[in-house]
Structures are given as structure tokens and as C-alpha cells.
């Protein structure tokens, strides 16, 4: 084998390795339990003037954390205690629950992208120093994937595109057909589903799903 033949073989091996890396469609999965995001006004109504959240643990997304503080949420049929607040504070307050939680509360929140609360369900939030009634803000979060722009380029997807994600853990096989892509410089690659969705497929945090592009209109 001469020098040119050896070089050709090397190039072929490199190309195969690159193709193998680019064919990976795996996305890590995180399970999101019920939680709420608060603005400053709501936080002070619930915990007192000048109160600030304290961090219990960092979340997978950079700069975000689970707070030590929890609240109660209430609807016409029932209430749920110890709902975790996630920080940092936002400009608009919002509560995210599963469908099972919604039944317990006696409410019918829509499936929405986080932050899209127009026309969503009302909810009462109760803290140690007071309560807040939101005439909108309760949603069931649409399954979504946080991506850095580099991840979006790798998967050849764009912000607000809808994809399918298949998950097979050996016991159950499920596919999430309407998974929303969310792209930001602040994001780290991770798919988020709620507890009902996780239970439906016996899925645990840390598993991987396989992303598949579909013909779909943007959300």
C-alpha cells in the first residue's frame, strides 16, 4: 500500500466517524414536576415586602434554580401544597401543572408554551404572608427541548419548530409528536416533560430520546 492509498483510507475513516457523530439524534430528558414562576410583586404579596428567594439547588438550565420556598395553589375543587418556586424572578407570574394536578384543582388549563398565558386558567397562590389570585397563568407546559444555537445547528432545527421525540426504555415505547424547540444562548440541551408524560412511558430523568424532524408548521 503506497502513501496515497494510506491517505485515502485515512480520509474514508474520518468521513465515517463524522457521519456517525452527525447521525446521533439523542436528547437528554428531564422531568419537570409542578412548579411556579413569580414576579417581584407576587413574591412580596406571598412572603412579605422586600423578600428574596433563596436557592435550594441549581437546575439544568444555566442561572436557574429551585428555591427553598414553596406555596400552596388552589382551585374550585381542591388545593395542592408545597409547590416549588423556581428562580430567578420573572416579569410575569405563571404556574405549571400536570393534567392530574389540574383534575385535583378542578381546572382545565390549556397546553401551552411557557410564557404564553393569554386565555389560560385562573389560579390562587397562597404563601405564608398572603395570597394572590391570578385571573390567568395556570398552564400545562407543552413538551419542549431547550437548545443552545450550536445544538440547533447540529440537529438542523430552529426556534419554535415542532419535532417528534421517540423514547424506548425497554418496557414502554412512546413518541411525543408535538415537541417544541426553544433556542437561546442561555439554554443547555435538555427535553422537558411533565410527570404525567413521564409516567405514561415509565421514563426517568437522565434517559435519552431520539429527535426526528417532521413536517409541521411553526408554533
Amino acid at each position: 500500500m503506497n502513501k496515497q492509498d494510506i491517505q485515502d483510507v485515512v480520509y474514508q475513516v474520518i468521513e465515517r466517524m463524522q457521519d456517525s457523530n452527525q447521525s446521533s439524534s439523542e436528547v437528554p430528558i428531564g422531568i419537570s414536576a409542578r412548579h411556579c414562576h413569580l414576579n417581584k410583586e407576587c413574591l412580596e404579596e406571598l412572603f412579605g415586602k422586600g423578600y428574596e428567594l433563596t436557592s435550594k439547588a441549581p437546575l439544568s438550565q444555566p442561572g436557574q434554580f429551585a428555591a427553598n420556598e414553596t406555596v400552596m395553589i388552589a382551585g374550585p375543587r381542591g388545593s395542592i401544597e408545597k409547590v416549588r418556586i423556581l428562580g430567578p424572578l420573572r416579569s410575569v407570574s405563571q404556574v405549571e401543572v400536570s393534567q392530574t394536578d389540574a383534575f385535583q384543582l378542578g381546572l382545565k388549563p390549556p397546553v401551552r408554551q411557557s410564557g404564553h398565558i393569554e386565555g389560560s386558567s385562573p389560579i390562587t397562590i397562597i404563601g405564608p404572608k398572603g395570597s394572590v389570585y391570578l385571573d390567568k397563568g395556570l398552564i400545562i407546559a407543552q413538551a419542549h427541548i431547550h437548545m443552545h444555537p450550536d445544538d440547533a445547528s447540529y440537529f438542523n432545527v430552529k426556534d419554535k419548530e415542532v419535532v417528534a421525540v421517540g423514547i424506548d426504555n425497554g418496557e414502554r415505547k412512546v413518541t411525543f409528536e408535538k415537541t417544541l424547540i426553544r433556542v437561546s444562548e442561555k439554554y443547555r440541551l435538555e427535553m422537558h416533560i411533565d410527570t404525567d408524560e413521564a409516567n405514561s412511558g415509565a421514563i426517568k430523568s437522565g434517559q435519552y430520546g431520539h429527535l426526528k424532524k417532521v413536517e409541521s408548521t411553526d408554533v
Side-chain angles (χ1 to χ4, degrees):
M1 183 177 290
N2 60 35
K3 183 177 181 180
Q4 184 60 51
D5 290 336
I6 294 174
Q7 191 173 43
D8 289 342
V9 171
V10 171
Y11 285 151
Q12 290 172 12
V13 171
I14 291 174
E15 287 177 355
R16 285 198 296 270
M17 291 175 66
Q18 290 175 337
D19 289 341
S20 175
N21 289 335
Q22 291 174 352
S23 67
S24 175
S25 60
E26 288 190 336
V27 176
I29 299 170
I31 300 169
S32 183
R34 68 178 78 98
H35 61 272
C36 66
H37 302 280
L38 299 177
N39 60 21
K40 182 178 179 181
E41 292 73 21
C42 281
L43 179 68
E44 292 188 341
E45 284 288 336
L46 298 170
F47 289 88
K49 189 70 174 178
Y51 193 89
E52 296 184 1
L53 292 176
T54 58
S55 177
K56 177 181 176 67
L59 299 177
S60 61
Q61 297 307 307
Q64 299 186 22
F65 61 90
N68 287 300
E69 292 78 10
T70 62
V71 293
M72 177 188 293
I73 56 175
R77 185 181 297 168
S79 62
I80 300 175
E81 297 182 339
K82 297 182 179 180
V83 177
R84 186 73 55 189
I85 301 173
L86 303 188
L89 296 177
R90 292 191 176 184
S91 59
V92 178
S93 295
Q94 171 184 300
V95 180
E96 298 178 31
V97 296
S98 68
Q99 185 65 68
T100 299
D101 293 333
F103 288 145
Q104 182 175 340
L105 295 169
L107 293 166
K108 297 181 179 180
V111 177
R112 291 281 182 82
Q113 177 183 351
S114 180
H116 291 202
I117 62 172
E118 286 301 321
S120 60
S121 295
I123 189 68
T124 298
I125 307 175
I126 304 166
K129 296 294 182 66
S131 65
V132 173
Y133 174 79
L134 302 179
D135 60 1
K136 58 186 177 183
L138 181 70
I139 66 169
I140 298 171
Q142 181 178 359
H144 56 280
I145 304 174
H146 292 282
M147 287 188 179
H148 186 274
D150 291 343
D151 299 315
S153 177
Y154 173 79
F155 287 105
N156 190 28
V157 295
K158 59 185 179 180
D159 188 45
K160 294 184 173 61
E161 183 174 344
V162 173
V163 300
V165 177
I167 304 168
D168 185 354
N169 62 12
E171 298 178 7
R172 293 182 179 178
K173 184 176 182 179
V174 297
T175 299
F176 295 95
E177 298 285 354
K178 297 182 179 180
T179 303
L180 181 67
I181 299 295
R182 301 182 61 189
V183 181
S184 171
E185 293 278 355
K186 300 177 181 179
Y187 289 160
R188 174 185 174 189
L189 182 64
E190 187 173 55
M191 178 179 178
H192 285 174
I193 59 176
D194 67 27
T195 51
D196 280 0
E197 292 168 323
N199 289 338
S200 70
I203 301 164
K204 297 180 180 179
S205 286
Q207 288 186 227
Y208 284 82
H210 292 273
L211 184 152
K212 180 180 179 181
K213 286 176 67 69
V214 297
E215 292 185 8
S216 173
T217 57
D218 294 345
V219 174

